[in-house]
């Protein structure tokens, strides 16, 4: 006779015993898979020991992360493929790593991904995964396009896109019906903005929502993420090919007109891919989770509706710091033995920086586990730091200021239609987010604690 309840009774008792065994078996399997050389495309799962910076408790770091930060702000998580894997969670140490130069750190992830037999679309690239001089060359094409003066021309278009989405939300929320902020607003706004910026059609939003999530989902190791990357790169490389003969009005067209002789289709498609992905997936997560905090923090909505630019900026900077949806900076690989926070990291070791934990570090300021929209802005690391700092940071701020201010003005009684415990957050992702966020546009504000 089977006793199905036995597993639920015995499981918690055996987990502390079997957990370390599972870890050792998992690491052995990974090392065996990579015995002919590291190829992250073959990585089908991540060992539990390295997943800490990819998990949260609701909007907050796990209690274990807070303990690690307090006791070992530079901690060795594992030994994989003959290399140490380190986690940096302290603010000062995080700044130290992120500000480090190319003589100390490499961001070249491509060295650990086999390109044999791969198509152009499957090649590894992007600003965050390259080193100088290639990184310097790629960034010089983008930097002039993301100055405040150049971005100002996008403001009317952003406002128009937000207005359209708010109208659609109002129609969907008539008669007290709940509206999903992710589908109706948080994804649609940045997707339309980035398509407008690049000069791309806005067709097939749903498909790109799936691909964007998959690009950062590490539940299947690197295999699923690299597969999703190939699809979006293929789309953008083809867009470059189509526009080369007749450049459009967006960023792709502008770069073709000014630098078409210097940039082949694959290189420019890779540049566009970085802008495309970074411009909608991270902003979509920020808008969804930001809407949650606005709906549950009356002061935030009041400050956004105040008409005071300084008050609006305070809310946005606090949201960026507190939510920090980009949980983990691009991996760094030590080019030489280097000391970080008094700890020696060996040449070849991999270092992950928890941007979320660093932004909550008590060494930076007091009370940082609380969302306080009136807080004076901190020197947060939501956009990274150093030469790999997000090139689109000011565009992201512009979108957040515009979209969340207009949302708070249009729906001052925005309320959650579900408790935070009932929301489905991403389980193992470099970019944190929520799958759906049901809200009510009118009526009494829900008494739900963040």
């Amino acid at each position: 006779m089977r006793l199905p309840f036995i597993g639920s009774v015995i499981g918690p008792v055996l987990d502390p015993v079997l957990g370390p065994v599972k870890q050792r078996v998992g690491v052995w399997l990974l090392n065996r898979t990579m015995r002919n050389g590291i190829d992250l495309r073959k990585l089908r799962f991540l060992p539990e020991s390295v997943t800490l910076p990819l998990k949260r408790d609701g909007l907050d770091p796990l209690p274990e992360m807070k303990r690690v930060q307090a006791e070992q702000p530079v901690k060795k998580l594992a030994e994989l493929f003959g290399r140490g894997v380190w986690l940096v969670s302290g603010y000062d140490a995080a700044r130290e790593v992120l500000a480090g130069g190319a003589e100390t750190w490499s961001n070249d992830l491509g060295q650990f991904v086999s390109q044999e037999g791969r198509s152009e679309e499957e090649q590894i690239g992007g600003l965050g995964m390259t080193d100088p001089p290639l990184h310097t060359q790629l960034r010089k094409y983008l930097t002039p396009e993301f100055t405040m003066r150049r971005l100002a021309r996008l403001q009317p278009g952003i406002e128009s896109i937000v207005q359209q989405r708010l109208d659609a939300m109002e129609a969907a929320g008539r008669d007290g019906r709940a509206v999903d902020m992710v589908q109706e607003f948080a994804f649609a706004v940045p997707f339309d903005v980035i398509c407008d910026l690049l000069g791309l059609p806005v067709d097939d939003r749903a498909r790109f929502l799936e691909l964007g999530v998959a690009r950062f989902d590490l539940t299947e190791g690197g295999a699923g993420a690299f597969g999703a990357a190939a699809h979006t790169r293929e789309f953008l490389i083809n867009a470059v090919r189509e526009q080369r003969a007749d450049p459009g009005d967006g960023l792709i067209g502008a770069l073709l007109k000014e630098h078409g002789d210097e940039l082949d289709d694959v290189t420019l498609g890779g540049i566009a891919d970085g802008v495309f992905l970074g411009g909608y997936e991270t902003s979509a997560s920020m808008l969804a989770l930001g809407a949650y905090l606005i709906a549950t923090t009356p002061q935030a909505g009041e400050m956004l509706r105040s008409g005071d630019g300084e008050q609006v900026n305070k809310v946005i900077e606090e949201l960026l710091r507190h939510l920090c949806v980009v949980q983990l900076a691009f991996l760094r690989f030590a080019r030489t033995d280097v000391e970080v926070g008094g700890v020696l990291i060996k040449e070849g070791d991999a270092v992950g920086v928890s941007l979320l934990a660093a932004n909550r570090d008590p060494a930076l300021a007091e009370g940082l586990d609380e969302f306080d929209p009136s807080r004076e802005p901190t020197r947060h690391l939501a956009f990274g730091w150093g030469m790999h700092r997000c090139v689109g940071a000011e565009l992201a701020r512009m979108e957040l200021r515009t979209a969340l201010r207009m949302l708070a003005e249009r729906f001052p009684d925005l309320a959650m239609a579900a408790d935070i415990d009932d929301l489905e957050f991403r389980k193992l992702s470099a970019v944190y987010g929520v799958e759906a966020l049901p809200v009510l546009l009118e009526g009494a504000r829900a008494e739900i604690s963040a």
Side-chain angles (χ1 to χ4, degrees):
M1 183 177 70
R2 299 184 64 187
L3 298 176
F5 65 88
I6 286 180
S8 63
V9 174
I10 296 180
V13 176
L14 293 181
D15 277 348
V17 177
L18 295 180
V21 175
K22 291 178 182 177
Q23 284 295 315
R24 288 195 293 272
V25 171
V27 170
W28 179 82
L29 287 172
L30 287 175
N31 285 319
R32 181 176 174 82
T33 301
M34 306 293 170
R35 64 185 180 275
N36 294 322
I38 300 173
D39 185 358
L40 296 180
R41 292 185 196 275
K42 298 178 181 178
L43 195 63
R44 297 292 176 179
F45 68 95
L46 294 179
E48 185 69 21
S49 57
V50 302
T51 61
L52 178 61
L54 301 173
K55 298 177 178 179
R56 295 199 196 189
D57 178 12
L59 301 184
D60 299 320
L62 293 178
E64 183 183 355
M65 175 65 85
K66 300 300 293 182
R67 179 185 60 76
V68 167
Q69 183 184 64
E71 298 175 1
Q72 291 179 278
V74 181
K75 176 181 174 60
K76 190 173 185 179
L77 295 179
E79 187 84 22
L80 294 176
F81 321 129
R83 299 167 182 262
V85 180
W86 296 81
L87 172 65
V88 174
S89 56
Y91 180 83
D92 290 338
R95 280 277 293 261
E96 183 180 346
V97 172
L98 297 177
E103 69 282 356
T104 304
W105 303 104
S106 170
N107 276 52
D108 183 11
L109 193 66
Q111 62 184 307
F112 303 114
V113 181
S114 172
Q115 308 295 1
E116 184 178 353
R118 300 293 177 182
S119 67
E120 293 177 333
E121 292 79 11
E122 294 177 295
Q123 303 303 306
I124 300 301
L127 286 173
M129 300 180 188
T130 55
D131 297 328
L134 178 58
H135 175 270
T136 308
Q137 293 168 352
L138 295 177
R139 196 170 181 106
K140 78 175 182 180
Y141 296 117
L142 284 178
T143 300
E145 301 297 328
F146 285 88
T147 62
M148 290 299 293
R149 182 177 63 82
R150 292 280 187 99
L151 291 175
R153 75 189 190 281
L154 300 177
Q155 184 64 37
I158 294 174
E159 292 178 359
S160 176
I161 288 168
V162 173
Q163 187 66 50
Q164 293 170 22
R165 298 316 307 167
L166 293 175
D167 290 344
M169 282 180 61
E170 184 171 12
R174 287 197 180 110
D175 303 321
R177 288 174 292 183
V179 176
D180 179 11
M181 284 290 301
V182 173
Q183 289 287 347
E184 298 292 342
F185 187 77
F187 173 72
V189 168
F191 184 84
D192 287 4
V193 168
I194 208 65
C195 285
D196 186 46
L197 171 67
L198 288 170
L200 298 169
V202 294
D203 301 334
D204 203 9
R205 276 201 196 99
R207 177 59 176 152
F208 280 100
L209 172 58
E210 295 172 2
L211 287 173
V213 172
R215 287 284 289 269
F216 297 108
D217 183 2
L218 297 173
T219 54
E220 297 181 7
F226 286 122
H231 288 293
T232 51
R233 282 175 59 85
E234 179 181 18
F235 168 77
L236 289 158
I237 291 169
N238 287 334
V240 171
R241 288 173 178 148
E242 291 172 3
Q243 289 197 34
R244 189 170 288 277
D246 183 19
D249 296 329
L251 178 60
I252 291 175
L255 290 176
L256 283 170
K257 292 172 187 175
E258 296 177 31
H259 307 287
D261 294 339
E262 307 165 38
L263 294 167
D264 60 37
D265 295 341
V266 174
T267 302
L268 182 49
I271 292 173
D273 180 50
V275 174
F276 186 68
L277 186 66
Y280 84 82
E281 180 60 24
T282 54
S283 293
S285 292
M286 277 298 304
L287 285 176
L289 298 180
Y292 171 83
L293 287 175
I294 290 168
T296 56
T297 313
Q299 183 186 11
E302 292 164 5
M303 291 174 68
L304 289 170
R305 291 188 292 271
S306 69
D308 183 327
E310 183 177 347
Q311 295 292 299
V312 172
N313 287 339
K314 275 188 175 182
V315 176
I316 299 307
E317 292 306 308
E318 176 67 354
L319 286 170
L320 286 165
R321 179 203 68 78
H322 186 78
L323 294 172
C324 195
V325 297
V326 180
Q327 308 196 92
L328 192 68
F330 286 108
L331 288 178
R332 267 71 170 168
F333 305 95
R335 292 185 182 275
T336 184
D337 290 359
V338 57
E339 189 173 290
V340 176
V343 177
L344 181 64
I345 292 173
K346 293 287 190 178
E347 178 182 353
D349 284 0
V351 176
V353 175
S354 173
L355 302 176
L356 173 68
N359 281 351
R360 304 282 190 97
D361 190 343
L364 181 59
E366 295 182 358
L368 293 183
D369 280 328
E370 302 299 322
F371 172 65
D372 179 3
S374 64
R375 189 192 310 277
E376 288 299 320
T378 65
R379 297 170 297 156
H380 66 71
L381 303 176
F383 294 114
W385 197 260
M387 69 176 179
H388 285 284
R389 183 179 182 273
C390 176
V391 71
E394 296 313 315
L395 174 60
R397 285 188 167 106
M398 180 186 295
E399 281 188 73
L400 292 173
R401 282 195 300 265
T402 303
L404 294 179
R405 173 182 56 79
M406 293 178 67
L407 175 70
E409 290 173 349
R410 181 72 169 266
F411 304 117
D413 294 320
L414 185 72
M416 286 299 303
D419 188 90
I420 191 170
D421 294 333
D422 297 325
L423 300 178
E424 184 180 353
F425 293 100
R426 293 177 193 164
K427 301 294 190 296
L428 208 65
S429 178
V431 175
Y432 195 64
V434 65
E435 300 301 333
L437 189 77
V439 298
L440 300 173
L441 305 181
E442 298 179 358
R445 187 178 300 276
E447 294 298 327
I448 300 175
S449 172

